[in-house]
Amino acid sequence: MAGMLYLVPTPIGNLGDISQRCRETLEQADFIAAEDTRVSLKLLNHLGIKKSLVSYYEHNKAFKGEKIVERILSGETCALVSDAGSPAISDPGEDLVKLCHEAGIVVCAIPGPCAAITALSISGQATGRFCFEGFLSTAKKSRREHLESLVKEQRTMIFYEAPHKLLTTLQDMAAVFGEDRPISLCRELTKLHEEVVRTTLGEAVAKYTENAPKGEFVLIVAGAPAEEKEVASEADAAARVQQLMDEGLSRKDAVKQVSKDLNLPKNVVYDIALKDSE
């Protein structure tokens, strides 16, 4: 009988955030696949758990992924962990999950710590609609292309960034999105020196030019303001209805088409058309 793959989230800073269910899953798994076995070993030692660890990270995922799948198919249960947070979110666990699905292996995700959601919830930015963009490329051209593709994105945007790349990223964001775009910079989440800086991209560039950033950052960037739609005048609506009627459409069909084209209620367009025909 085939085993299972469990996605086990680990604390993003405070070890007290490990849940009882996560602890039990790690204890019961036959082996643990870890992004960095040294980091995971510290957590296991803290929990008093002794378990077989195998490394699974970006540069060995093609080879190790197949081996892990083989072990699960033979009946073993694997718990996948990343260095911090939820596995498969912006880490190679995504590929292992795909392999398991292709092999017909059941994958179970256990809820738990996630830096993106934690930061969003305390950012002070809009949380109703958002998109996760993860880490930007280290290559300037690719990074700028990524940001430029988001110029008109109206949802709140979530990015991860390392301290040594933060200033360059902020400078590119300010150039693409504008210096007045609101941003919340969340660092050291759940740790002793947790901090949220709510400012603008221009002010953030100035701040971290003078003060070297420390700690891992989650950047919550406000979406672009909604584009104001131009409201058609009564004259435009009336002229358009008449044009369509001259082309052979009935008044009813012409009104329906103009209502759709100009984003106006049909009853409004109909009243305009009747008034114009008088």
Side-chain angles (χ1 to χ4, degrees):
M1 181 181 292
M4 287 179 62
L5 174 68
Y6 283 92
L7 307 183
V8 182
T10 53
I12 58 177
N14 190 322
L15 292 179
D17 290 336
I18 191 80
S19 73
Q20 182 62 32
R21 187 180 176 202
C22 287
R23 179 196 293 264
E24 291 173 354
T25 302
L26 294 174
E27 289 175 335
Q28 295 168 9
D30 292 303
F31 68 103
I32 297 171
E35 187 176 6
D36 187 329
T37 55
R38 296 166 298 181
V39 172
S40 297
L41 185 58
K42 292 179 182 178
L43 175 63
L44 293 178
N45 287 338
H46 171 76
L47 298 174
I49 297 173
K50 292 184 178 181
K51 193 68 58 172
S52 171
L53 282 167
V54 298
S55 65
Y56 176 80
Y57 56 95
E58 186 64 31
H59 300 296
N60 76 353
K61 64 182 182 182
F63 170 72
K64 282 295 184 71
E66 293 180 357
K67 296 297 183 182
I68 292 171
V69 167
E70 288 177 4
R71 291 184 64 174
I72 297 174
L73 287 174
S74 71
E76 293 186 83
T77 295
C78 172
L80 175 67
V81 298
S82 62
D83 290 349
S86 298
I89 304 299
S90 221
D91 82 9
E94 173 187 358
D95 295 87
L96 182 57
V97 171
K98 288 179 181 177
L99 286 176
C100 286
H101 281 299
E102 290 169 0
I105 293 170
V106 176
V107 179
C108 176
I110 300 175
C114 177
I117 299 302
T118 301
L120 177 65
S121 66
I122 62 173
S123 68
Q125 304 293 351
T127 62
R129 298 176 68 236
F130 57 90
C131 58
F132 177 69
E133 298 297 325
F135 287 100
L136 291 166
S137 171
T138 56
K140 184 174 181 62
K141 182 180 178 181
S142 298
R143 185 169 62 248
R144 286 295 288 263
E145 288 177 348
H146 187 162
L147 292 174
E148 286 168 1
S149 73
L150 297 168
V151 167
K152 294 185 178 181
E153 176 58 68
Q154 294 181 15
R155 294 172 295 180
T156 301
M157 297 170 283
I158 305 174
F159 300 86
Y160 287 162
E161 195 52 278
H164 65 281
K165 296 190 296 179
L166 179 68
L167 184 56
T168 300
T169 292
L170 292 175
Q171 290 170 337
D172 283 346
M173 285 181 170
V176 174
F177 298 145
E179 294 188 353
D180 293 333
R181 182 71 69 90
I183 180 175
S184 296
L185 301 99
C186 308
R187 58 180 289 272
E188 297 295 272
L189 292 170
T190 76
K191 299 177 184 177
L192 180 63
H193 299 292
E194 176 177 293
E195 179 185 36
V196 178
V197 177
R198 195 165 186 268
T199 182
T200 63
L201 285 171
E203 292 173 350
V205 169
K207 174 181 175 64
Y208 292 105
T209 296
E210 296 180 3
N211 306 284
K214 297 179 180 179
E216 299 297 317
F217 283 79
V218 182
L219 309 179
I220 312 295
V221 183
E227 296 181 357
E228 293 186 8
K229 295 183 178 179
E230 186 176 343
V231 179
S233 67
E234 288 191 9
D236 291 336
R240 180 62 178 149
V241 169
Q242 188 58 53
Q243 178 187 353
L244 292 175
M245 289 174 64
D246 290 343
E247 293 174 0
L249 264 65
S250 66
R251 176 179 277 111
K252 179 181 179 181
D253 289 340
V255 166
K256 184 177 180 181
Q257 185 61 48
V258 172
S259 171
K260 180 179 179 181
D261 293 344
L262 301 183
N263 195 32
L264 291 171
K266 281 191 289 186
N267 63 321
V268 172
V269 178
Y270 188 76
D271 290 343
I272 292 172
L274 280 181
K275 184 166 53 176
D276 185 66
S277 67
E278 294 176 353

